[in-house]
Amino acid sequence: MGSLEKKTSAPRTVAPSDIQHGTIEDPSSSHEGHDLSALGYKPELCRNRSMFTLLFQSLAIAAIPYGFGAPLISAIYGGGQLAMFLGWVMVLIVDECVAISLGELASRYPTSAGPYYWSFQVASPRIRTVLSFVTGWTWLVGNWTITLSVNFGFASLVAATVALYYPDFEWQSWHLLLIFYAICLITFVIVAFGNKFLPSVDTFCAVFTALTIFITLICLSAKAESGRNSPSETLGHYDTTLSGWGSFSFLIGTLPSAYTFSAIGMISSMAEECGDPTIKLPKALALCVPVGGIAGLFFIIPICATMPALADILEAPVGQALPYIYLRVMGSPAGACALTVLILVITLFCSISITVAASRCTWAFSRDHAVPASHLWSRIDKRHGTPIWALVLTTGVQMLLGLINLGSSSAFNAFVAVGVIALAVSYGIPITLSMIYGRQGVNGARWTMGPTIGWIVNVIAVAWIAFEVVLFSMPTAIPVTAVSMNYAIVVFVGFMALSAIWYGVHARKVYKGPPASDGLRVS
């Protein structure tokens, strides 16, 4: 494969004295920190991104008004305002621990291969090839399905916007599918042929998101046609009767918050398009949650203060609570439509940014021979500087999975939850391995929390990831029917079973893991 340095001998153990005597180059201490040859790869992508554009891309992926607003119906089932406000604050704390943990690993091993490369470098040589393959496929499935969830959520928001004017129109599955396909194709064209403009798109998205939050704050606070809730209701109203889960409803209500920041680690796939990624990439990861979290409070609190009765919101068309809340609070379809269109624009930016990251993930994993027909998906289009064939595969998989909604909406919803679960697991594996081996790699990174705080952050991150997997595997409401059942864990296990079959049939013959450089290059 042209993107890998050829290995003619088995990797050797690197002694500290080798570094001291200059026979080994340590990328974590290099001036620019992005010598890909030290990690076993050759540069193929243009480094046109800075720390700020990476931060803006991560915020575009989080897309707070969309990320929180699209699955808002879960927070309504989860009890309303308390779960929305306090749940947001709680998730910010634990997800910042995840972001910092990923940032340390990204600083030590700054490559687009991301979590599966980290797992390979951190794990024991006896098991690292298999572990990296498992991590890689979990990472890949997470990238594909979370991107799918954004694009299909976009289609649902479009349908909900139309329903503001035509509430009696009966939306069929094929209607949503056609809108979804249109979104996938529009995003494909922009990502494939507009690479040099994408950093500017991410920057504009950050500005537009801030403007949208400000406009929403003013409009909802000024109109409040459904009345204004008291301060205690705004931040503390909690109805445990809607989901059937009783006191556990609060955790169901944190699902929108958890979904918003579930894809923060995806910008690690942009490492090879950033100068000095050992510093800039982890900084962008660490800043995304607090910056986005503070901005999100200015979006969430006005909604909590003006929203109508929870039972009424459950009847929202297409299961989209936010446009319905806008309609009730603004008092007219025109006002609600104006605010929803702002969300749609943000969602388009999110679709673009998350598709970029997913295509880089697909390209990187293909570069290491882990995906069927890897020679095709690992190609870089020289004219546009993008892995267009990897983008083709990413878009094609989404469009195929979108067909599931024609047969069963509950099965499709499982794919959406799988995105969060798969990404969480792919984060958890390298973080756990790093802890098992005493954080030996990350303690020497240029950007690290150190041996004491680092342990605390890692433990909180892994505990949250484990709980998040359980939380997104649960149905939103009980008693459970065939339609409301959450099949996410079944779908996730199915994906892993297919990857295991692929490994046993063919991949084990060609996949030897990422370059076995241990993050160091023999001179």
Side-chain angles (χ1 to χ4, degrees), residues 101-174:
S101 299
L102 296 178
E104 290 184 310
L105 288 161
S107 177
R108 181 59 176 159
Y109 308 108
T111 165
S112 295
Y116 81 89
Y117 187 96
W118 306 337
S119 294
F120 184 83
Q121 300 298 344
V122 172
S124 164
R126 294 184 297 104
I127 59 173
R128 64 185 185 179
T129 300
V130 173
L131 270 178
S132 71
F133 186 85
V134 171
T135 307
W137 267 98
T138 308
W139 175 236
L140 186 64
V141 168
N143 273 256
W144 284 346
T145 50
I146 203 73
T147 305
L148 166 68
S149 75
V150 169
N151 288 335
F152 207 90
F154 193 174
S156 297
L157 273 178
V158 171
T161 305
V162 174
L164 293 173
Y165 289 95
Y166 302 98
D168 296 328
F169 182 79
E170 294 186 10
W171 286 93
Q172 304 295 324
S173 296
W174 66 270

Side-chain angles (χ1 to χ4, degrees), residues 58-73 84 88 150 153-154 157 205-217 220 256-257 259-261 291-301 303 320-323 325-326 338-350:
S58 66
L59 291 172
I61 289 173
I64 292 157
Y66 164 77
F68 186 84
L72 183 57
I73 198 75
M84 292 167 63
W88 180 262
V150 169
F154 193 174
L157 273 178
C205 176
V207 175
F208 190 84
T209 300
L211 184 62
T212 297
I213 291 174
F214 178 74
I215 292 173
T216 303
L217 167 66
L220 296 185
S257 304
Y259 175 77
T260 301
F261 293 106
V291 172
I294 293 171
L297 289 175
F298 289 94
F299 179 74
I300 294 169
I301 292 176
I303 294 175
Q320 287 294 326
L322 192 59
I325 292 174
Y326 283 168
L339 292 181
T340 306
V341 166
L342 296 178
I343 307 295
L344 291 175
V345 174
I346 291 174
T347 312
L348 175 61
F349 291 135
C350 176

Side-chain angles (χ1 to χ4, degrees), residues 148-447:
L148 166 68
S149 75
V150 169
N151 288 335
F152 207 90
F154 193 174
S156 297
L157 273 178
V158 171
T161 305
V162 174
L164 293 173
Y165 289 95
Y166 302 98
D168 296 328
F169 182 79
E170 294 186 10
W171 286 93
Q172 304 295 324
S173 296
W174 66 270
H175 295 144
L176 292 176
L177 184 68
L178 291 180
I179 299 173
F180 167 69
Y181 277 179
I183 292 167
C184 287
L185 294 176
I186 291 170
T187 303
F188 174 87
V189 171
I190 295 172
V191 174
F193 306 115
N195 187 50
K196 64 180 179 180
F197 302 110
L198 294 181
S200 299
V201 170
D202 292 328
T203 303
F204 181 76
C205 176
V207 175
F208 190 84
T209 300
L211 184 62
T212 297
I213 291 174
F214 178 74
I215 292 173
T216 303
L217 167 66
I218 297 300
C219 291
L220 296 185
S221 301
K223 294 293 290 184
E225 291 291 332
S226 291
R228 291 179 172 84
N229 299 314
S230 67
S232 61
E233 290 179 326
T234 296
L235 301 182
H237 180 73
Y238 183 41
D239 187 344
T240 62
T241 64
L242 299 176
S243 70
W245 284 105
S247 58
F248 191 79
S249 297
F250 173 82
L251 294 173
I252 296 296
T254 64
L255 289 174
S257 304
Y259 175 77
T260 301
F261 293 106
S262 62
I264 51 175
M266 287 180 66
I267 63 165
S268 64
S269 294
M270 308 302 296
E272 295 175 32
E273 297 173 65
C274 170
D276 198 6
T278 58
I279 293 295
K280 295 178 180 178
L281 178 56
K283 280 185 176 179
L285 278 164
L287 285 171
C288 173
V289 176
V291 172
I294 293 171
L297 289 175
F298 289 94
F299 179 74
I300 294 169
I301 292 176
I303 294 175
C304 291
T306 58
M307 63 192 299
L310 302 182
D312 294 343
I313 301 174
L314 294 180
E315 303 300 322
V318 205
Q320 287 294 326
L322 192 59
Y324 180 80
I325 292 174
Y326 283 168
L327 176 64
R328 293 289 302 274
V329 175
M330 296 300 293
S332 69
C337 182
L339 292 181
T340 306
V341 166
L342 296 178
I343 307 295
L344 291 175
V345 174
I346 291 174
T347 312
L348 175 61
F349 291 135
C350 176
S351 178
I352 294 169
S353 298
I354 204 167
T355 300
V356 171
S359 67
R360 275 31 170 199
C361 165
T362 306
W363 165 75
F365 204 35
S366 300
R367 179 175 59 177
D368 286 322
H369 309 281
V371 182
S374 290
H375 66 284
L376 179 61
W377 319 124
S378 59
R379 294 178 183 176
I380 296 293
D381 182 87
K382 301 301 180 184
R383 180 180 177 185
H384 299 98
T386 56
I388 289 183
W389 283 106
L391 178 61
V392 169
L393 178 59
T394 301
T395 304
V397 168
Q398 289 183 70
M399 296 177 77
L400 285 174
L401 292 178
L403 293 172
I404 300 295
N405 197 59
L406 291 176
S408 171
S409 60
S410 59
F412 177 80
N413 291 335
F415 282 111
V416 174
V418 163
V420 178
I421 293 173
L423 288 178
V425 172
S426 68
Y427 302 157
I429 293 174
I431 297 173
T432 302
L433 288 172
S434 178
M435 294 167 61
I436 290 173
Y437 292 99
R439 289 175 44 87
Q440 294 176 12
V442 297
N443 282 336
R446 292 181 69 199
W447 192 94

